[in-house]
Amino acid sequence: MRGVPARVSVHFMKLKFFTTGGTIDKVYFDAKSEFEVGPPQVSELLNDANVTFEYAVASILRKDSLDLTEADRALIREQVAADPATRIVVTHGTDTMILTALALKDIPGKTIVLTGSMQPARLRVTDAAFNLGTAVAAVQTLSPGVYIAMNGRIFNPETSRKNVASHRFEELA
Amino acid sequence: MRGVPARVSVHFMKLKFFTTGGTIDKVYFDAKSEFEVGPPQVSELLNDANVTFEYAVASILRKDSLDLTEADRALIREQVAADPATRIVVTHGTDTMILTALALKDIPGKTIVLTGSMQPARLRVTDAAFNLGTAVAAVQTLSPGVYIAMNGRIFNPETSRKNVASHRFEELA
Amino acid sequence: MRGVPARVSVHFMKLKFFTTGGTIDKVYFDAKSEFEVGPPQVSELLNDANVTFEYAVASILRKDSLDLTEADRALIREQVAADPATRIVVTHGTDTMILTALALKDIPGKTIVLTGSMQPARLRVTDAAFNLGTAVAAVQTLSPGVYIAMNGRIFNPETSRKNVASHRFEELA
Amino acid sequence: MRGVPARVSVHFMKLKFFTTGGTIDKVYFDAKSEFEVGPPQVSELLNDANVTFEYAVASILRKDSLDLTEADRALIREQVAADPATRIVVTHGTDTMILTALALKDIPGKTIVLTGSMQPARLRVTDAAFNLGTAVAAVQTLSPGVYIAMNGRIFNPETSRKNVASHRFEELA
């Protein structure tokens, strides 16, 4: 068929998911009367979606992305760079997702897609499953580089930002 | 940044969603004690996902895909071909999704992605939002052609099938 | 405190739940492209609600209530009558819930509450958990007899009906 | 039918719901990366449950119950006492639900039931709808007095407590 690029077959490769915390993983702790970053939701989301590709999930951190330090970003970069996988999805809080993406940009030969959600995956209405779906397709179809998959779009972290006021990612003017 | 293909910018283009029915749109009718194809769920799913791209949704049919006729497929083909959009997502029942994809394959110059779900979008646990997310990313990143986005993978309809027994899409041996 | 009737302490007694099928237990089978009565949802609903009373669940039938026969009702009556529990909740399809309730009315010394739902428990929006909650409170607070707990109200099956057109239970005029 | 107490007919009376905040009403604010008390969920829960009794909802406060002051409790007491309804449900945070219940105990001639949830109503898995269902049935079936409806049981606030460690309400030893 016209226009089925060879790269589509890469979806046979094993995908790697790294989790770092963020809103997507937030659960409600009655004892503290607040939401906190809980166990990674990725495996449950992929299971609910009945995905059939091979994958592995590794948790690096469980932090609100506003609390990530440069040391944390160095750790994320180290683990992503060291992993043999060439197609990697990183789930991350939205507030500093761009910063972490930029910290990963010099990693050669890998397609890396960062995603997360504005509403926790455990909510009845959430963008988590949809966003993870966009990241999973993007990581299989895009050439090496670092991308942000949010709001149904794919962003270049060097030319985009999170617009906190409007709760969305957007291209820089 | 390395490897951000020019095509990524296509996500600024308006996306078009055509709905034809299928499990993704099934709702439960107490009066009939059964599920039936209801109103298209795409708009609600895109709204829940807080997408920021421009899009339009048009409903062509509301049928279980097992009930689609050749005339129905001709109608779908006609509407997809006639639409000015070059990035089109078609939501469809899974049982004959491959057949409809093949009926669309000669449409030139458009990236067309078919998706649906194995569980209705209105269920608490469903693959609908994730699958729509994969379709939305695939339609923005793939070159012209017709694709199936299911089970977290992107399939060439000429070399894949729905394995009814295992409730999944797979590549032909 | 004023007005705390002695019977409130009955909630320490073990409650028994009998399931017979109905919409509350319907799940979607992709293989058949339709909803069918699946495993009883009561245990999952009680678990989600974090209930702390002792209880047991027994499945008698897995039928749409339109398909229940007089033999089925005799079986339900036999099992409810034979059970040592004096506080019993029966989950049941709504279409013939009244008929089954009337078949149970001569069982002495037990408070029996029938409930179910208009939308399957597994839907994102459903009356299942709320209805089960009303049944659980009613069975602990009402004196012996047979009751219907639906639409947030408690009905005497001898003076009420399901209004199919309006999808609700109501008192007979 | 045996044992249908006259009081069952009270469910024809209009029910009044007062909301004060608490976990049941918590929503996630991305801008603050935390959950906060949002708009009352009662109306949405009652609508999802397709209830058919007449009711009115009034919001008194939107606070985590740990933040309620004596002045707040005086306000709640004043509004509950002044309302013409004799069957009243109060949604409330769980941490100080007992204290508020005790503050209401001298109100004569009304059946008052306090409920809430350990997990926000907007979560995919929550006790909110079930708990509200128990409160709705309890308020229609119990004689005048003040009750707590949590964990599928009905408690006398003078002889019960919230066991914070085990996230449940229980009778005092």
Side-chain angles (χ1 to χ4, degrees), chain C residues 61-97:
Chain C
L61 296 163
R62 285 193 187 185
K63 286 190 172 183
D64 187 313
S65 75
L66 288 171
D67 301 329
L68 290 177
T69 64
E70 282 318 300
D72 292 327
R73 291 201 165 78
L75 175 64
I76 295 168
R77 190 191 186 296
E78 178 187 310
Q79 299 229 0
V80 170
D83 197 274
T86 59
R87 306 274 172 176
I88 295 172
V89 172
V90 178
T91 61
H92 195 286
T94 58
D95 290 310
T96 66
M97 189 183 285

Side-chain angles (χ1 to χ4, degrees), chain D residues 46 51-52 63 79 94 107 121 132 141 143 149 155 159-160 164 173:
Chain D
L46 294 174
V51 300
T52 55
K63 285 189 173 185
Q79 300 228 358
T94 57
I107 298 174
L132 187 61
T141 58
S143 48
F155 297 94
T159 59
S160 54
V164 176

Side-chain angles (χ1 to χ4, degrees), chain B residues 41-53:
Chain B
Q41 299 295 304
V42 163
S43 299
E44 185 172 346
L45 290 168
L46 294 173
N47 186 59
D48 291 350
N50 193 25
V51 300
T52 56
F53 52 76

Side-chain angles (χ1 to χ4, degrees), chain D residues 132-152:
Chain D
L132 187 61
T134 59
V136 162
V139 83
Q140 293 178 65
T141 58
L142 294 175
S143 48
V146 181
Y147 311 84
I148 299 282
M150 288 294 294
N151 300 113

